[in-house]
Amino acid sequence: MSAPAQLPPEIAAQDKGPSIVIVSCIVTAISTLFVVARLYVRLQIAKKLQLDDAFIVFSLICGWLAVAFSIAAVASGNGKHMGTLSLDQISGAVLWTMVGFIPGVYSFGFPKLAAIALLTKLLNPSSTHRTFLWCLGITCQLALTGCIAILFGQCAPSKAQWDFSITEKTCISPYILVNYSIFAGAFSGFVDLYLAVYPAIVLYSLQMNAKRKFALAFALGLGSVACIVAIYKTTRIPSLASQDFSYDTSDLTIWTCVEGSTIIIATSIPVLRPLADIIFGRRVMGSGGDSRGYSRGYKKYGTDRSNNARDEHELEPKRRKVKHPYDLETNVEVGKDSSQEDILPRDALTTPKKPVDGIIRTKSVMVYYGENDGPLKNGEDWK
């Protein structure tokens, strides 16, 4: 990471440090607002936190840690060309940039687990698909962790990457890190895309109001935006092998923070439906209804009898009353003597009918019993 001796004045004046700080703080602050709103919905309306909330909170903490380390790196000279920095500034810029990549990577990794936890709850996939989704998310986390391991392990001792007083060191080619990181970044983008397309496919097959179906598919498919960000960020990864590390990795630092904030926001939006209904006075993801719908409908966001949190969008088999295949659904009153009384309304029996000219259509129903002329037993076939 040696710097060139001299730089033209116009190049030496270039500084991406302010852009790193401003963009990172803004996008992370926006994602924080969404997380706060998410926690409000879960604590005040649903009355219970879920596993996906824990993943999101951890991701947000990682995001702010990445911002803090980025600010420390900028204070040391990150964002400027290495030819304009002293050895101490270069050391600080490289160290804090590398450290900042650790929480930065997890800030866009763990929201994928939050998305999986949310989708498996709402869409109720089969056990095989549920296992596949979790394996996909965990594999992605391991792949991203591999980037961090290679980043700090590419030199022995690792400290030699930022401590230039160490002359005896052994380093692998930096393109090993670049190529592996490109693979991990592409795989991360694929996971984002899969988690965005999967709910759209499930909702398309359901018999649901088209407006509500589109709204749900849009809300649950916002991860596709994170996929686009991940793809673009992957094009910035070769800067890890640049000789002008402090300047060329600035874009990678910015887009790492942007990707983390984007997926945090995308994963939080589907949970904010109750809050949006209260604010706008209508069912944002529903098919319409009166403006007071939120006051009656959010009992479904609480807990059920088994104290398990429920969501109105949860897709699960409907609980229907189990009936015998031979049961007849008729409104017949049975007296104490087990005889059938007054099938017709009382007024129909007491009020005399006026004579009607012409043909009168009548219907008769005959019910046959078994050979013993007794009522059918429970489960007995018609004869």
Side-chain angles (χ1 to χ4, degrees), residues 249-276:
T249 58
S250 299
D251 290 342
L252 181 60
T253 301
I254 292 173
W255 283 100
T256 297
C257 186
V258 170
E259 182 182 4
S261 299
T262 301
I263 191 170
I264 287 175
I265 293 172
T267 310
S268 297
I269 286 178
V271 182
L272 302 183
R273 183 268 177 86
L275 183 61

Side-chain angles (χ1 to χ4, degrees), residues 103 191 198 228 291 315:
V191 174
Y198 164 58
I228 297 174
S291 61
L315 304 180

Side-chain angles (χ1 to χ4, degrees), residues 82-305:
M82 292 182 67
T84 64
L85 304 177
S86 65
L87 287 179
D88 288 340
Q89 288 178 316
I90 295 174
S91 177
V94 173
L95 171 60
W96 293 117
T97 299
M98 292 177 60
V99 172
F101 281 143
I102 300 176
V105 165
Y106 288 129
S107 70
F108 64 81
F110 273 85
K112 294 175 175 54
L113 298 181
I116 292 173
L118 180 64
L119 292 178
T120 53
K121 179 178 182 296
L122 296 182
L123 303 182
N124 196 25
S126 64
S127 58
T128 301
H129 196 191
R130 185 187 302 267
T131 302
F132 169 76
L133 289 173
W134 281 109
C135 289
L136 189 67
I138 294 173
T139 302
C140 183
Q141 299 306 307
L142 295 176
L144 294 174
T145 303
C147 296
I148 299 173
I150 297 176
L151 176 63
F152 283 88
Q154 60 183 339
C155 286
S158 180
K159 187 178 179 181
Q161 296 184 74
W162 60 84
D163 188 350
F164 300 107
S165 64
I166 300 177
T167 56
E168 296 183 2
K169 59 182 179 181
T170 302
C171 297
I172 61 176
S173 171
Y175 288 98
I176 295 178
L177 172 63
V178 169
N179 294 332
Y180 180 83
S181 298
I182 290 176
F183 156 75
F187 184 66
S188 175
F190 165 76
V191 174
D192 290 334
L193 182 62
Y194 184 88
L195 296 179
V197 173
Y198 164 58
I201 295 176
V202 173
L203 292 172
Y204 178 79
S205 62
L206 296 180
Q207 293 182 354
M208 182 186 297
N209 178 275
K211 180 180 177 181
R212 184 182 183 189
K213 183 184 298 186
F214 174 79
L216 287 173
F218 176 78
L220 296 174
L222 286 174
S224 57
V225 178
C227 174
I228 297 174
V229 175
I231 293 174
Y232 180 80
K233 187 208 66 179
T234 302
T235 64
R236 307 290 94 190
I237 290 178
S239 62
L240 292 171
S242 173
Q243 294 297 315
D244 197 3
F245 185 86
S246 61
Y247 182 82
D248 290 341
T249 58
S250 299
D251 290 342
L252 181 60
T253 301
I254 292 173
W255 283 100
T256 297
C257 186
V258 170
E259 182 182 4
S261 299
T262 301
I263 191 170
I264 287 175
I265 293 172
T267 310
S268 297
I269 286 178
V271 182
L272 302 183
R273 183 268 177 86
L275 183 61
D277 288 350
I278 293 175
I279 293 175
F280 296 105
R282 59 190 177 90
R283 302 178 69 81
V284 176
M285 295 181 193
S287 57
D290 61 45
S291 61
R292 300 181 302 275
Y294 66 87
S295 64
R296 301 191 306 268
Y298 289 110
K299 60 183 179 180
K300 295 184 180 180
Y301 288 96
T303 55
D304 57 17
R305 295 180 179 178

Side-chain angles (χ1 to χ4, degrees), residues 348-367:
L349 297 175
T350 58
T351 304
K353 295 183 179 180
K354 297 180 180 180
V356 180
D357 297 333
I359 301 175
I360 301 176
R361 180 180 177 181
T362 60
K363 289 184 179 180
S364 61
V365 179
M366 293 184 294
V367 179

